[in-house]
Amino acid sequence: MDKSDIKIIPFQKATAEHYHLMLMADPSKTIVKSYLPRSYKFELVADAKLLGLVLLIDTRPETIEIVNLAVAEEFQNSGYGEKLVHFALHWAQKNHYHTVEIGTGSTSFAQLYLYQKCGFRVVSIDHDFFVDNYHEPIIENKLVLKDMIRLKKQL
């Protein structure tokens, strides 16, 4: 795949393929459905193939949150996640936001590395977020996911 053919474009209606990616990042279809209608939705595509996506929502004045970011399994570890994060940061700045926030699991080591690499700083921990908000336990990196790590970046 020629990387010059890759683009990030808005999308309106989520397809089954979009849902597959969103549920990779957030396994609760109920929670995904709760933020999907109010999200700014962007997909990473090449040659009409969906490679990844990022969803953003307004949370407070001048603040936006990345609520879902996913890259198809066969394209992970190729720089596409970082490309989506940088796109979200640029889009937020262009649209006059001053803060971008993101939350991820305390066992999501690759994601924590990526977000910090992109300039995000840890600001808080939502203890038992995944225990309190998800019906089934989430096992990630052979650990039971309990806490959400909250990060933010000032633009």
Side-chain angles (χ1 to χ4, degrees):
M1 181 172 310
D2 183 2
K3 288 201 175 199
S4 64
D5 294 335
I6 294 170
K7 57 187 171 214
I8 299 174
I9 55 174
F11 71 94
Q12 297 302 316
K13 185 164 173 32
T15 66
E17 199 173 4
H18 289 110
Y19 269 103
H20 175 74
L21 287 177
M22 289 184 279
L23 292 171
M24 284 173 47
D26 185 340
S28 171
K29 196 168 196 173
T30 302
I31 292 175
V32 169
K33 283 184 171 184
S34 76
Y35 57 68
L36 187 61
R38 57 193 171 108
S39 296
Y40 301 101
K41 299 174 268 304
F42 301 94
E43 59 186 9
L44 176 72
V45 293
D47 303 323
K49 181 162 180 61
L50 179 62
L51 308 181
L53 55 76
V54 62
L55 304 182
L56 310 163
I57 61 168
D58 293 305
T59 56
R60 288 183 297 288
E62 300 178 344
T63 301
I64 198 156
E65 180 176 353
I66 298 171
V67 290
N68 198 299
L69 186 141
V71 174
E73 288 182 52
E74 64 267 31
F75 300 106
Q76 290 179 3
N77 301 309
S78 300
Y80 297 130
E82 187 172 354
K83 187 176 190 69
L84 285 164
V85 171
H86 285 298
F87 170 84
L89 294 171
H90 177 75
W91 185 89
Q93 191 166 36
K94 189 173 79 175
N95 286 280
H96 310 291
Y97 292 93
H98 295 288
T99 305
V100 180
E101 299 177 329
I102 193 162
T104 195
S106 59
T107 59
S108 304
F109 307 132
Q111 292 88 334
L112 283 166
Y113 171 76
L114 170 63
Y115 304 145
Q116 290 176 85
K117 181 179 172 186
C118 292
F120 285 83
R121 302 284 309 270
V122 174
V123 293
S124 65
I125 299 172
D126 288 349
H127 294 281
D128 291 325
F129 177 87
F130 294 98
V131 174
D132 295 341
N133 293 289
Y134 290 77
H135 299 294
E136 299 291 323
I138 300 169
I139 308 298
E140 185 178 43
N141 293 313
K142 299 180 183 176
L143 296 168
V144 176
L145 176 58
K146 296 178 183 174
D147 305 325
M148 179 183 286
I149 306 293
R150 305 285 308 159
L151 302 98
K152 81 168 140 181
K153 179 174 173 73
Q154 298 298 332
L155 300 176

